Amino acid sequence: MKSNPPPIVTVDAVLLTIVNAELCVALHQRESFPFAGHWALPGGYIHTLEDDSAKAAAARVLRDKTGVVSPYLEEFGSFSGPVRDPRGWSLTMVYFALAPVVSAQVTLFPVSRLPSLPFDHGAIVAGVMERVRSKASYSSLPVHLCPSEFTISELHGVYEVVLGESINMANFRRKLADLNLLEVIPGGMRSAGRSRPSQLYRVNKRFKDRLSVRDRGL
Amino acid sequence: MKSNPPPIVTVDAVLLTIVNAELCVALHQRESFPFAGHWALPGGYIHTLEDDSAKAAAARVLRDKTGVVSPYLEEFGSFSGPVRDPRGWSLTMVYFALAPVVSAQVTLFPVSRLPSLPFDHGAIVAGVMERVRSKASYSSLPVHLCPSEFTISELHGVYEVVLGESINMANFRRKLADLNLLEVIPGGMRSAGRSRPSQLYRVNKRFKDRLSVRDRGL
DNA sequence: TCAATAGTGTCTATAAGACACTATGCC
DNA sequence: GGCATAGTGTCTTATAGACACTATTGA
């Protein structure tokens, strides 16, 4: 009986952010075989001498290839099989990240107009999008796309972009209030244009950490 | 710079079934290092010459070590790190399986009274239980714990065991009816004891396949 | 006929959505 | 003042839960 060659194991990261009212994903130009020169998800091998976990490996890859440090990072799932990578049987652990504006060294593409991607990265992005949209409809996940201080209207806009549909503002505010997710920044107001300035908020410290799957959320 | 040794990659399966109104998990007595002789989750290496995916590897392991073929199988997530396995930096992909009664070659332990498990298998089982209970509260996942023909009362009992709380039967029936999940087996009735016999049902063919995360479910 | 479980009808509490309204700052 | 956006109050509708009820069989 032939012995099984070990699988190739990698991590890939889908970093999402909002630019001009569009969800965008960070892509990286591959430097080496296979698909050198092609735009692809930032990814790489696990460094067993440095990384404490696959998730830590994804965070490192994201930091090294995009300059983004410690965004919200969540495991999406695995993609594996004999043919997805020309090098052989491979398994990649996919993580998705949400961040507000992103460092200048990142190249962002709107998810609705992505170039064709190597490996199964197209399917990976599609899967992550479905997951993020799904979670947005019942959790407070999208707050991670906002900077540390933001207005309700901005958060409202983020939800609308992620969900791709308009949300009634009155109901949005009510649910948000029920959640106890946000806290007022005392005296923090943002004036935009010639209209009424709006209150600035930040995420409640208690919630900052435990924004998890289980939260009822918005 | 030292080169990174590759991670050890395995799959593990958490097979759940119900025995005597208790959720039970299948354990397997390890044959080799590490923890030879200990009860642990059935698991093993990916066979890159045979397996089409990590999930297929989990299905194969389950078949070989417990005799259970093609149960409901879903990816749970990864567990990884430098210390969870004495052999070195390791990553395991965990899958959970739901099945009705199980082949005789399986040893089942009630989840509430598990022996102490090697590696991080205790945490893995705990995580899977949380996920299964959570999904049971909003999806039709638990139908996979029923045999192909079952009564509403039996399904009701399964939900109660999984959720660990009593469920109002009238509301349960109503939600089930709204779902359109089940279909009557014409003429199929089950008489138990001296009381009114109950109608047998099976899962609607259209639903059989696409019982997925996204179903509103019960 | 009665014990026991199957199955139904209906009221109530809560949450989601629609929508009309008021408030306030800047030009 | 009046335009534009911030923010509120309240009615309607869908859904979840509670609970009392009827139905049908075997002993």
Side-chain angles (χ1 to χ4, degrees), chain A residues 186-199:
Chain A
M189 299 294 267
R190 169 167 303 166
S191 301
R194 57 180 167 175
S195 73
R196 175 176 173 178
S198 50
Q199 177 65 53

Side-chain angles (χ1 to χ4, degrees), chain A residues 6-156:
Chain A
I8 296 159
V9 182
T10 55
V11 293
D12 285 299
V14 180
L15 171 60
L16 297 171
T17 192
I18 292 182
V19 178
N20 296 329
E22 274 193 309
L23 257 180
C24 295
V25 56
L27 298 181
H28 178 257
Q29 213 152 10
R30 288 184 61 82
E31 284 161 5
S32 43
F33 177 84
F35 303 108
H38 288 239
W39 291 105
L41 293 173
Y45 294 105
I46 291 171
H47 291 181
T48 52
L49 296 177
E50 319 164 36
D51 302 326
D52 262 354
S53 62
K55 183 174 181 175
R60 174 183 51 74
V61 162
L62 215 39
R63 173 167 47 75
D64 292 350
K65 300 207 170 172
T66 70
V68 176
V69 292
S70 61
Y72 176 83
L73 194 62
E74 178 178 325
E75 178 170 321
F76 176 61
S78 72
F79 289 74
S80 59
V83 298
R84 54 177 299 280
D85 187 316
R87 287 167 289 186
W89 210 106
S90 67
L91 181 150
T92 189
M93 283 305 311
V94 176
Y95 292 79
F96 70 89
L98 305 181
V101 252
V102 176
S103 80
Q105 69 176 107
V106 188
T107 310
L108 296 169
F109 292 77
V111 286
S112 56
R113 300 188 299 281
L114 288 184
S116 127
L117 298 176
F119 308 104
D120 45 8
H121 286 189
I124 288 173
V125 172
V128 165
M129 286 308 301
E130 188 179 332
R131 166 91 136 259
V132 168
R133 278 198 247 269
S134 163
K135 281 190 82 162
S137 68
Y138 66 86
S139 83
S140 41
L141 191 72
V143 293
H144 299 286
L145 293 165
C146 286
S148 60
E149 302 192 348
F150 52 89
T151 69
I152 302 281
S153 294
E154 287 164 357
L155 182 58
H156 178 247

